[in-house]
Amino acid sequence: MVSKKQKVRTVILVLLLAIAIVGGVFAISYYKGGVTFPWQVTAVTETKEEVAEEPQDEKLTVTVVEPEAKEETKKEAVTEEKPKDVKKVEETTEETPVEETPVEETTAATVDNKLDYYGQLHVEDGVLVDAEGETVQLTGVSSHGLSWYPEYVTADSIKALRDNWGINVIRLAMYTSDYNGYCVAGEEIQSVLKDNIDEAVTAATENDMYVIIDWHILNDGNPNEYKSQAIQFFGEIVRKYEDNENVIYEICNEPNGDTTWEDIKKYANEVIPVIRNVDEDALILVGTPSYSSDLDSVLEAPLDFDNIMYTYHFYAGTHKSSARNSLTNALDAGLPVFISEYGLVSADGDGTVDTKEAEKWIDILKEYNLSSCIWNLSNKAEGSALISADCDKTADFEYEELSEQGQYFFDLLQNNKSNTENKR
């Protein structure tokens, strides 16, 4: 029987043996890195956290190590940012005061004198006079059709005419029945034409000029054809400009065909009261038969209105001595005449300047102190256009940019004496 003491010894040996075996296993595992002891947990955790951050560093390092990919990314970034940079520059430019560029001196042909502005005009004893009863003379140009050459009646163009040529009147030729005419083209064109007129009237007023609003009948022949439209037009226009002392109303351009003076009188007796009911002092021009060349019929039965003048038109290349005699006879008889349109070429508006006949006509204008407008302010390829056909400018014309008739007219303005010296 084993004693109790022996049993204790046996258990102790077994335990020692077990401890030795376990200790040996742990020792081997420790040196091979297979076991982590409790006292090593903190250190390991810290090591793992450091190791966990390393992949990010490695990823960044890889990006830096790839120069080609980085260069491409940089280019793309620059391309995307360009519009923003440009916008910033534009915004900065808008806010930064821009230094004014010195205005270059114009080489436009300029006359030495500027014609007078007289204020309110009226007719007295067959002569156009100012408020003091002194004889006056208007000298200027007529536009071509407003629907065709509106660029020559802008504010800039009119100001340049006054500054450079010194003229004191411009006539606005608004066709009634021709292409895009007021009476045939519809409300949209009518609105545009009235806008053109308004800009021109405003510019003329600002530059101390007179302005003629011309109801330019031509192919319609008889003004009664569109009489109702004329009444509506002048009724509207006169209310708009009743306070403008510089506005002149020409109620019918060139009656023609078989239109008689009686036809014209019938028309005038209905249109003139429309103007007079609003502006009793307005100067009104009335066309005469045969393209405004028959003054004899008017002498026999003139209109019964004050401040009325009758228009007479001539073209030096066609109208000779008999036409001049008709004009001077009417003037000598005391008929108030306004030359609202004339040319120094043929009556068709083309051809060259007839200098011999032109001189004779100009002498009459000077002798009788007649107010006049030369036809026409445009660069149309015809002899009566004042601007050369190859000139695209609408203001500040150089002498070489004028047509033959334009140069002749400019020379007349240049050599013109003061109005007071020319009074008869």
Side-chain angles (χ1 to χ4, degrees):
M1 182 175 180
V2 179
S3 64
K4 185 176 181 178
K5 187 176 183 179
Q6 288 177 330
K7 288 181 180 178
V8 170
R9 287 178 179 173
T10 301
V11 171
I12 292 172
L13 288 173
V14 171
L15 289 172
L16 291 173
L17 180 62
I19 291 171
I21 292 172
V22 171
V25 172
F26 276 8
I28 294 170
S29 298
Y30 174 77
Y31 286 108
K32 289 185 177 182
V35 178
T36 300
F37 295 100
W39 58 84
Q40 293 177 308
V41 171
T42 303
V44 172
T45 303
E46 293 175 355
T47 303
K48 283 183 179 180
E49 290 175 354
E50 292 176 359
V51 171
E53 293 175 356
E54 286 180 0
Q56 295 180 0
D57 294 339
E58 290 176 358
K59 187 174 182 181
L60 291 173
T61 302
V62 170
T63 304
V64 173
V65 173
E66 297 176 356
E68 295 181 358
K70 185 178 174 90
E71 187 67 20
E72 290 176 1
T73 303
K74 183 177 180 181
K75 288 178 180 178
E76 291 175 359
V78 170
T79 302
E80 292 174 358
E81 291 296 326
K82 255 185 178 180
K84 295 181 180 179
D85 294 340
V86 171
K87 185 177 181 180
K88 289 179 181 178
V89 172
E90 291 175 349
E91 292 174 353
T92 303
T93 303
E94 291 177 359
E95 296 175 359
T96 304
V98 180
E99 185 177 350
E100 294 184 2
T101 304
V103 179
E104 297 182 1
E105 292 186 5
T106 178
T107 57
T110 305
V111 300
D112 297 332
N113 62 301
K114 182 178 290 188
L115 301 178
D116 294 334
Y117 177 77
Y118 309 97
Q120 182 71 55
L121 304 177
H122 68 279
V123 179
E124 188 175 298
D125 297 328
V127 178
L128 189 61
V129 299
D130 61 15
E132 285 72 39
E134 297 292 333
T135 303
V136 304
Q137 184 179 37
L138 306 186
T139 300
V141 299
S142 174
S143 75
H144 207 304
L146 294 186
S147 289
W148 310 333
Y149 296 94
E151 64 270 27
Y152 292 96
V153 293
T154 63
D156 290 341
S157 298
I158 291 174
K159 183 179 187 304
L161 289 174
R162 183 63 165 153
D163 291 344
N164 300 335
W165 291 5
I167 61 175
N168 57 6
V169 61
I170 183 167
R171 177 184 187 235
L172 309 176
M174 188 186 72
Y175 280 81
T176 53
S177 68
D178 293 66
Y179 177 74
N180 270 350
Y182 185 88
C183 298
V184 297
E187 293 183 359
E188 185 175 350
I189 295 298
Q190 289 180 353
S191 178
V192 171
L193 290 170
K194 284 185 284 191
D195 286 343
N196 292 339
I197 290 172
D198 191 55
E199 181 177 2
V201 170
T202 300
T205 304
E206 291 175 349
N207 289 280
D208 289 334
M209 296 174 66
Y210 295 92
V211 55
I212 302 172
I213 299 176
D214 165 33
W215 185 256
H216 200 87
I217 70 166
L218 187 62
N219 286 336
D220 30 347
N222 191 324
N224 290 290
E225 181 172 349
Y226 295 109
K227 180 173 60 180
S228 61
Q229 288 91 331
I231 290 173
Q232 183 277 330
F233 173 79
F234 283 109
E236 177 183 347
I237 290 296
V238 72
R239 282 174 175 80
K240 189 169 188 177
Y241 304 120
E242 62 177 305
D243 294 328
N244 288 67
E245 64 181 15
N246 62 325
V247 175
I248 301 170
Y249 302 97
E250 184 172 2
I251 64 173
C252 52
N253 167 54
E254 290 184 347
N256 60 81
D258 58 359
T259 302
T260 65
W261 174 237
E262 287 302 316
D263 295 327
I264 299 169
K265 283 187 68 176
K266 179 181 178 182
Y267 167 84
N269 282 328
E270 293 187 53
V271 175
I272 291 175
V274 173
I275 299 173
R276 282 284 179 264
N277 288 340
V278 178
D279 187 350
E280 59 182 10
D281 297 321
L283 179 63
I284 299 175
L285 309 182
V286 182
T288 55
S290 300
Y291 299 95
S292 287
S293 66
D294 178 8
L295 298 177
D296 293 335
S297 298
V298 180
L299 281 171
E300 295 175 1
L303 291 165
D304 189 20
F305 294 99
D306 294 329
N307 292 335
I308 295 295
M309 301 189 80
Y310 304 95
T311 64
Y312 188 83
H313 296 176
F314 69 84
Y315 283 82
T318 301
H319 304 118
K320 311 291 182 175
S321 59
S322 61
R324 285 191 292 272
N325 290 336
S326 175
L327 172 60
T328 55
N329 289 339
L331 292 170
D332 291 338
L335 193 70
V337 177
F338 196 114
I339 311 297
S340 63
E341 179 181 319
Y342 75 94
L344 307 177
V345 295
S346 299
D348 61 0
D350 207 357
T352 59
V353 173
D354 189 330
T355 56
K356 181 180 178 180
E357 294 296 322
E359 185 176 350
K360 296 176 182 178
W361 279 109
I362 298 302
D363 286 343
I364 290 178
L365 296 184
K366 291 179 179 179
E367 179 183 355
Y368 288 89
N369 221 36
L370 293 176
S371 295
S372 62
C373 291
I374 192 170
W375 178 270
N376 69 81
L377 186 63
S378 78
N379 67 343
K380 185 178 180 180
E382 63 179 15
S384 62
L386 298 174
I387 314 304
S388 176
D390 57 3
C391 175
D392 294 329
K393 293 163 62 175
T394 58
D396 295 327
F397 309 107
E398 298 180 28
Y399 189 78
E400 294 73 17
E401 294 171 332
L402 303 178
S403 67
E404 181 190 15
Q405 178 174 268
Q407 292 179 353
Y408 193 102
F409 178 66
F410 180 85
D411 292 341
L412 288 175
L413 295 173
Q414 182 72 284
N415 298 326
N416 192 26
K417 295 182 180 180
S418 67
N419 293 320
T420 55
E421 293 176 349
N422 282 328
K423 287 177 183 177
R424 58 186 177 89

